[in-house]
Amino acid sequence: MANEKTKKELVSWFLVILGSFLFAVGDIMFANPYNLAPGGTWGLSNVLNALNPWKISFYVICMDIPLLIFGTWILGPKFGVKTVAATIFNILFAFMIETTWGYFPIIHQGIYEAKELIPAGMESLLVQCDYNTSLEAFGISFADGVDKTFWFMPDYLLNTIVAGLLYGIAIGLIFRAGATSGGSDIVSMVLHKYTKISLGTLVIIVDGIITFSTLLIGMLKGYDSIHDFTASLRLPINSFIVVFIEGIMIDLVVDGFKRPKTYIITTKQAQKVANYIATEMGKNAELGCSGDVVVCTMNHKDSTKLNIWLAKEDPESFVSVLESKETYGKGYKALPTE
């Protein structure tokens, strides 16, 4: 029993570390080069980095650490050890990637090392990047004292999809380990305590404001044409797409591709149905207070088996099937302890 518990704990820590690494990769190598800000303190750090080139990890430290302290002070010590660890690992991995890789965009359609090399008429289509690391591995080199700036032809759609996938997988793994991402979620939790607005609504509001803050990049840097203005609208739109894909991937990683189904069966043979589910299928079945309702939860494969049995043995029963968003207990995920 002790070995099993130790194994689960090691696996959960592995998920925290892997999730943190993938999150840093998604942010530094995919979201940041395209000035995307899919919510949270990391999204806000991407915006600040575009306006003032300071390391993203430094911006995050300036926000996440104080937020953890502030949240603990206001809400009490409800942030588990793994949440604090995930925050630290995210920052460490981001710093390592920034220092060794820079902000080189993996997905692009061409690179221009100098402004004079950009074809006429394409200037407004390109994205400018400033680097703090050597790009010789990619065939780009700068003389000493030369500003390390280059332009690339973006591929917004593919990059947005990949960024959303990476964010979602990363956060899903962290959630599966029993940790959370912290950051701006703490702001939402504090506001929830005092405003009583639902936590989900507050998360959307806070992250939505951060996503729309990408418009500041174009506003503060200035627009040379109406095309520059309309092109800047792409940033919040793509950021929202990242958030959408991220949400889908989080659900898939946490709950799997086939969620369990909850059956609510109204029948005159409630005891018979409950006995079949318990003895033949090995699932827990609860009888309602009135004695004519059976409630149970099972996977997709077992639900098909139950449908066939009910059609044969109890065709007059009324069956309501719900997709279970989260399922805890015997045979499913353990209840979270943090």
Side-chain angles (χ1 to χ4, degrees):
M1 186 69 178
N3 289 338
E4 185 67 23
K5 185 176 181 180
T6 301
K7 181 180 178 181
K8 287 183 178 180
E9 189 67 13
L10 289 174
V11 169
S12 69
W13 277 104
F14 173 75
L15 294 179
V16 168
I17 295 172
L18 178 59
S20 299
F21 174 72
L22 292 177
F23 186 92
V25 170
D27 189 80
I28 305 299
M29 296 182 176
F30 292 89
N32 179 266
Y34 282 77
N35 294 327
L36 300 180
T41 53
W42 287 85
L44 184 56
S45 296
N46 286 342
V47 174
L48 294 174
N49 172 263
L51 297 174
N52 181 43
W54 198 35
K55 274 187 168 58
I56 293 173
S57 55
F58 292 171
Y59 280 119
V60 174
I61 288 174
C62 292
M63 288 185 278
D64 273 9
I65 302 304
L67 279 174
L68 280 173
I69 297 172
F70 177 69
T72 302
W73 176 50
I74 297 295
L75 304 172
K78 62 189 301 180
F79 307 109
V81 174
K82 290 190 181 72
T83 292
V84 177
T87 300
I88 295 173
F89 279 128
N90 283 343
I91 293 171
L92 288 176
F93 284 130
F95 176 79
M96 290 168 55
I97 296 172
E98 288 175 308
T99 304
T100 58
W101 177 275
Y103 305 108
F104 190 86
I106 296 180
I107 296 176
H108 58 79
Q109 296 184 26
I111 293 176
Y112 298 89
E113 302 174 38
K115 196 168 186 178
E116 57 267 20
L117 298 178
I118 300 176
M122 291 181 58
E123 295 86 355
S124 61
L125 300 177
L126 303 185
V127 177
Q128 177 180 327
C129 279
D130 300 308
Y131 278 77
N132 58 2
T133 188
S134 174
L135 298 175
E136 293 179 359
F138 308 102
I140 299 177
S141 60
F142 298 91
D144 292 339
V146 175
D147 182 32
K148 293 182 178 181
T149 301
F150 85 97
W151 291 258
F152 68 92
M153 176 65 74
D155 186 337
Y156 283 102
L157 178 59
L158 182 57
N159 181 83
T160 297
I161 292 173
V162 175
L165 291 175
L166 281 174
Y167 271 126
I169 293 172
I171 296 175
L173 291 175
I174 293 173
F175 282 176
R176 288 200 66 159
T180 64
S181 56
S184 63
D185 291 347
I186 298 174
V187 176
S188 301
M189 294 166 71
V190 171
L191 291 173
H192 171 67
K193 178 178 179 179
Y194 292 105
T195 65
K196 303 306 178 184
I197 300 173
S198 73
L199 189 58
T201 299
L202 287 170
V203 168
I204 292 173
I205 292 173
V206 172
D207 283 352
I209 292 173
I210 293 172
T211 298
F212 273 114
S213 70
T214 55
L215 291 173
L216 291 174
I217 297 175
M219 291 173 61
L220 296 180
K221 287 188 174 182
Y223 299 117
D224 294 329
S225 66
I226 187 63
H227 179 273
D228 289 344
F229 171 73
T230 56
S232 70
L233 298 177
R234 179 191 291 115
L235 299 180
I237 294 173
N238 282 356
S239 295
F240 273 117
I241 294 174
V242 171
V243 172
F244 178 75
I245 297 174
E246 173 189 329
I248 294 175
M249 289 307 301
I250 289 174
D251 285 344
L252 290 179
V253 172
V254 173
D255 299 320
F257 286 89
K258 294 181 178 178
R259 292 178 177 171
K261 297 181 182 297
T262 295
Y263 272 69
I264 303 175
I265 307 168
T266 304
T267 173
K268 296 178 181 179
Q269 306 181 59
Q271 192 62 59
K272 179 181 177 181
V273 173
N275 288 341
Y276 173 79
I277 294 171
T279 58
E280 299 297 327
M281 303 181 68
K283 303 295 180 182
N284 292 328
E286 298 292 334
L287 287 172
C289 296
S290 61
D292 58 359
V293 175
V294 180
V295 180
C296 60
T297 299
M298 60 191 64
N299 58 36
H300 179 75
K301 181 180 179 181
D302 288 331
S303 68
T304 301
K305 182 179 179 181
L306 179 59
N307 288 340
I308 295 173
W309 185 86
L310 287 172
K312 180 180 178 182
E313 301 293 334
D314 193 9
E316 295 184 1
S317 61
F318 177 80
V319 182
S320 179
V321 184
L322 309 175
E323 230 183 35
S324 301
K325 185 175 179 59
E326 294 186 72
T327 308
Y328 300 99
K330 184 178 179 181
Y332 298 96
K333 293 186 298 183
L335 287 165
T337 57
E338 296 184 349

